[in-house]
Amino acid sequence: MEVVGLWRYPVKSLQGERLDAASVEADGVAGDRRWGLRDQRTGRILTARRRPELLGASASYDGDAPVITLPDGATVVGPGTRTDSRLSEWLGSPVSLVSSLGALAGRAEYFEDATDDTSPAVEWTMPADRYVDTAPILVLTTVSLRTAAGHYPRGTWDPRRFRANILIGLDGEGWVEDSWVGHPILLGAVTLVPSQPCVRCTMVTRSQPGLDADVEIFRTLARHHRGLFGVWSDVVAPGRLAVGDRGSQPAPVL
């Protein structure tokens, strides 16, 4: 059991950063989803569920300041009037770059039918202090990626589609993460406890640089695994985590 991928996403629904090492804090990977683009008309945080073009931009950090690289290669740094103006011009509607720290819990929307962008929109509220969907850390394994690919070999099962924080390399087949819920996972100096499987949505179908749109990705997960893929996890013991760190699986449930 080995950590083979680490990611953080400084700005909600934008492309993130692949890391060699990260500090895992009590509420998630340092810097992960600390920022979002707020619709100035509705107050909601935008996501690529409703605005798929968000995946065409990327975000990183310069110190503590988020740096957003737009699809045309232009960059904006940190919050402020100039940033908001440039982002609003790009998206064609008034938005602001906002921090999740100390803010009210973010509200966002998803489509009722993950394969139909004309279906009704449903609003949900994210946890406080980070613009995460459900829990601080999303964990995925190479086992589940192989299993899903076996059901739909023509699909591109690139980990970037699924926006996990941690990708764990394991041998075998099956949806192994399901059996981890409620049991600790030791990864290097970090201990996580998966709290629930991740219910997937239209995000996994969206196009992004190097990946075409593909609704069959979601349909495959819905047919073969009730739309679940990976596990949301809580941090029990924070610490430094690096690619190559070894870990141990939970004991089998008897």
Side-chain angles (χ1 to χ4, degrees), residues 131-254:
Y131 294 133
V132 297
D133 292 349
T134 302
I137 300 282
L138 182 56
V139 176
L140 186 63
T141 68
T142 57
V143 179
S144 286
L145 284 169
R146 284 194 302 273
T147 299
H151 292 295
Y152 176 40
R154 295 194 309 276
T156 303
W157 295 88
D158 189 308
R160 290 183 301 143
R161 281 199 190 276
F162 310 104
R163 298 179 68 82
N165 296 110
I166 302 171
L167 179 64
I168 296 174
L170 283 172
D171 294 330
E173 295 292 333
W175 314 102
V176 65
E177 298 98 317
D178 292 2
S179 67
W180 294 359
V181 172
H183 302 277
I185 304 172
L186 308 179
L187 296 171
V190 175
T191 303
L192 307 175
V193 174
S195 56
Q196 65 184 82
C198 179
V199 180
R200 291 299 175 164
C201 65
T202 192
M203 283 284 288
V204 304
T205 74
R206 298 302 194 197
S207 65
Q208 53 186 285
L211 294 174
D212 293 333
D214 189 348
V215 296
E216 286 302 318
I217 294 288
F218 176 82
R219 288 171 176 160
T220 298
L221 295 174
R223 282 193 296 266
H224 297 284
H225 197 222
R226 307 184 309 283
L228 307 176
F229 203 50
V231 283
W232 285 113
S233 303
D234 296 314
V235 181
V236 175
R240 182 182 180 278
L241 189 63
V243 172
D245 279 353
R246 307 291 292 182
S248 60
Q249 298 173 245
V253 178
L254 303 177

Side-chain angles (χ1 to χ4, degrees), residues 41-71:
R41 299 166 301 184
T42 67
R44 297 188 185 101
I45 301 300
L46 298 182
T47 81
R49 295 168 174 86
R50 294 296 309 274
R51 299 296 300 265
E53 64 267 42
L54 293 178
L55 285 167
S58 63
S60 57
Y61 280 105
D62 180 3
D64 293 329
V67 178
I68 296 175
T69 303
L70 298 175

Side-chain angles (χ1 to χ4, degrees), residues 82-118:
R82 178 183 177 276
T83 292
D84 293 349
S85 176
R86 186 66 183 86
L87 294 173
S88 299
E89 178 185 355
W90 166 48
L91 293 170
S93 58
V95 300
S96 298
L97 176 65
V98 295
S99 171
S100 63
L101 286 173
L104 295 174
R107 297 179 295 116
E109 289 184 330
Y110 64 93
F111 289 115
E112 189 173 83
D113 183 342
T115 64
D116 181 3
D117 285 2
T118 67

